[in-house]
Amino acid sequence: MSAQSLLVPGELSPTRSVPGNIRRPEYVGKPMPTPYTGPEVQTAETIELMRIAGRIAARAMEEAAKLIAPGVTTDELDRVAHEYMCDHGAYPSTLGYRGFPKSLCSSVNEVICHGIPDSTVLNDGDIVNLDVTAYIGGVHGDNNATYFCGDVDEESKLLVERTRESLNRAIKAVKPGRQINIIGRVIESYAKRFGYGVVRDFTGHGISTAFHSGLIVPHYDAPHATTVIKPGMTFTIEPMLTLGTHEYDMWEDGWTVVTRDRKRTAQFEHTLVVTETGAEILTLP
């Protein structure tokens, strides 16, 4: 793997504004969201709204990813995604969620998840995950993907490609009547073929009118995850695979999660709705 310096926190830009006519999630301005008490199975109307939110989130992520190149800051990626969502009538779900200060998460190299966009400059050979969630019509759509910056080494490329494949395999395993632990079993069995670590403490989640409903979707083989998958359920699958340990440290900002051995990590995510025969991806551009 390319020998590169470990990340350090950069400087934050001022909080970006959202037009006043755009509906805010209920948690904005509060220390934490109100606990979700609704169903995991959604109505056809809610699912259709989630298609809209998911499409905007996917397109916002694509627009930000177009800028990924050596010399670009992660804050600039945040600006592009923020403006795209606002221009399309959506609120960036992460902005103000439990105090998170930005409109996407940018997780570079050894950052597992929840990296905060700042003055950090991307370097040739970096890998960077963008995690974008849009809120519109009273619902959320959540997705992420890991991208290459410039000329990336083969070990990192394989990690990224295989993490994407682990998500694809997990989506194919979603069937009504199965327990939700099938998802983690498929991901972990695939990751083990290559000696990758599978992050355990950050998971997929139920999503609809709530950013996180309380439903947990583990990405490792978790026998306790016995929730039965039903048509109409909406949740994310978002495996995080590492070149080394699955153990992590957290920066003092309370958000940025890095691998304990500081080896690289990749992640991919889609929001899904369970159909009568499998799963439909709601976060397609």
Side-chain angles (χ1 to χ4, degrees):
M1 188 180 76
S2 301
Q4 294 187 336
S5 301
L6 297 179
L7 290 171
V8 296
E11 295 183 7
L12 288 178
S13 63
T15 301
R16 303 189 196 284
S17 62
V18 177
N21 64 320
I22 293 178
R23 179 179 175 182
R24 271 72 169 156
E26 59 83 22
Y27 52 75
V28 175
K30 297 164 55 177
M32 62 184 61
T34 302
Y36 179 74
T37 58
E40 299 297 345
V41 173
Q42 305 304 322
T43 65
E45 291 78 12
T46 296
I47 293 166
E48 183 55 37
L49 290 169
M50 290 181 68
R51 286 192 183 95
I52 296 169
R55 190 178 307 123
I56 291 173
R59 289 176 176 171
M61 185 173 71
E62 279 193 338
E63 288 302 307
K66 290 177 182 177
L67 270 72
I68 292 175
V72 175
T73 66
T74 54
D75 187 66
E76 182 67 5
L77 305 179
D78 180 80
R79 180 191 65 78
V80 171
H82 177 95
E83 291 179 356
Y84 185 93
M85 285 185 274
C86 291
D87 287 347
H88 291 80
Y91 185 92
S93 300
T94 60
L95 185 61
Y97 179 77
R98 295 180 180 267
F100 192 84
K102 292 296 176 180
S103 298
L104 58 71
C105 300
S106 56
S107 301
V108 180
N109 295 343
E110 70 268 23
V111 180
I112 295 172
C113 59
H114 304 158
I116 301 174
D118 57 19
S119 61
T120 296
V121 176
L122 297 177
N123 294 309
D124 185 59
D126 284 346
I127 59 173
V128 54
N129 178 273
L130 301 183
D131 194 335
V132 180
T133 310
Y135 177 79
I136 188 171
V139 300
H140 301 266
D142 186 4
N143 70 161
N144 75 55
T146 303
Y147 300 91
F148 302 139
C149 179
D151 185 16
V152 174
D153 66 274
E154 187 66 16
E155 184 180 37
S156 297
K157 285 181 179 178
L158 287 173
L159 173 68
V160 171
E161 291 166 2
R162 290 165 176 167
T163 305
R164 182 192 291 110
E165 176 62 15
S166 77
L167 172 59
N168 293 339
R169 290 175 179 234
I171 292 171
K172 290 177 182 177
V174 174
K175 306 286 184 185
R178 290 180 170 177
Q179 293 183 343
I180 212 157
N181 59 14
I182 186 66
I183 293 168
R185 190 155 66 245
V186 166
I187 291 168
E188 185 169 37
S189 64
Y190 179 70
K192 278 184 173 179
R193 289 167 50 183
F194 311 104
Y196 295 154
V198 181
V199 173
R200 301 167 75 89
D201 292 342
F202 301 90
T203 68
H205 52 88
I207 184 171
S208 57
T209 57
F211 195 170
H212 300 85
S213 72
L215 174 67
I216 294 174
V217 183
H219 302 120
Y220 63 98
D221 191 355
H224 63 275
T226 56
T227 300
V228 175
I229 298 171
K230 300 177 182 178
M233 290 178 70
T234 51
F235 53 82
T236 72
I237 303 176
E238 44 188 299
M240 291 151 266
L241 305 186
T242 70
L243 289 175
T245 183
H246 69 269
E247 296 180 341
Y248 67 92
D249 295 319
M250 186 174 289
W251 284 2
E252 291 183 2
D253 60 24
W255 284 105
T256 306
V257 180
V258 296
T259 54
R260 184 155 294 169
D261 57 13
R262 302 304 191 264
K263 292 186 178 180
R264 288 186 170 188
T265 176
Q267 182 183 16
F268 284 84
E269 173 188 19
H270 276 305
T271 296
L272 311 172
V273 59
V274 181
T275 67
E276 296 294 334
T277 57
E280 175 193 346
I281 298 172
L282 297 177
T283 39
L284 292 175

